[in-house]
Amino acid sequence: MTVDEFLVWAEGQPGRYELVDGEVFAMSPERVRHAEVKASAYLALRSALNRTQFPCRALPDGMSVRIDDTTVFEPDALVYCGARADPDATEIPNPVIVVEVLSPSTVAVDSGRKLSGYFSVASVAHYLMIDPVKRLVIHHARGTEGLIETRIASEGQLALIPPGLSLSVAELFADLPPPADPAA
């Protein structure tokens, strides 16, 4: 199946799907922790954008990102810049930031196929992999000469340049209860 065929097919289907090398994969049901972190990530990106005058928008999950003719992913959140997307679009062709919240069943795909896939899209400058259990962010950024630079952060600020955003790691976990005190 091609991405164009998939996007037409997926509109009439219950549930969520991704297409990898022409094969359709159903996305697993989410745990509350995953959904809360996904919502926090979207809201943190949106809040960071609201502090700027950049012509960029954050979107929650549900938007497709075409990797090639037979692969399309649906990140947990994304940011794109430039003209506002068509309100009826299901695909964002030029994401600058993509976010995936890790889960035990997706970590291998998120850190392998999706990592290489997202960076094959010329507009992608940042790929944030958020671990809701360890409360850390693996920030992959397109560096100089096409190299991908990786930072792992459990606190502090993330510099997302381009487009020029700064957001705290804590904002990405804002909807989670505080971690359990190991001394308790």
Side-chain angles (χ1 to χ4, degrees):
M1 184 180 287
T2 68
V3 169
D4 291 331
E5 294 166 336
F6 169 79
L7 292 174
V8 170
W9 172 85
E11 277 195 55
Q13 302 301 313
R16 297 173 45 219
Y17 300 87
E18 290 183 321
L19 183 71
V20 180
D21 296 328
E23 188 176 345
V24 176
F25 289 90
M27 297 174 76
S28 300
E30 296 177 346
R31 297 182 189 280
V32 169
R33 177 177 39 235
H34 185 102
E36 288 176 337
V37 172
K38 180 170 64 172
S40 289
Y42 161 69
L43 292 172
L45 289 166
R46 189 170 150 206
S47 177
L49 284 168
N50 287 340
R51 294 188 294 263
T52 74
Q53 296 299 313
F54 302 137
C56 302
R57 289 172 181 75
L59 294 172
D61 71 330
M63 294 292 97
S64 296
V65 174
R66 183 184 304 244
I67 304 304
D68 57 35
D69 290 340
T70 60
T71 301
V72 65
F73 296 138
E74 187 180 303
D76 289 322
L78 63 78
V79 170
Y80 73 97
C81 299
R84 184 181 290 270
D86 178 333
D88 292 323
T90 60
E91 179 181 356
I92 299 297
N94 58 341
V96 176
I97 302 167
V98 290
V99 177
E100 294 285 357
V101 177
L102 301 178
S103 65
S105 65
T106 66
V107 68
V109 172
D110 291 343
S111 60
R113 180 72 171 101
K114 286 189 177 183
L115 173 62
S116 63
Y118 283 134
F119 280 109
S120 73
V121 177
S123 63
V124 172
H126 305 277
Y127 174 34
L128 304 179
M129 294 170 38
I130 303 174
D131 186 326
V133 175
K134 295 179 182 173
R135 292 182 186 240
L136 59 84
V137 179
I138 304 165
H139 175 196
H140 302 285
R142 191 182 303 272
T144 57
E145 299 176 25
L147 297 175
I148 305 304
E149 300 169 355
T150 301
R151 232 182 103 215
I152 300 172
S154 58
E155 58 186 29
Q157 294 290 120
L158 297 176
L160 303 172
I161 302 167
L165 302 181
S166 178
L167 62 100
S168 72
V169 171
E171 286 179 274
L172 297 171
F173 300 101
D175 286 342
L176 286 183
D181 182 357

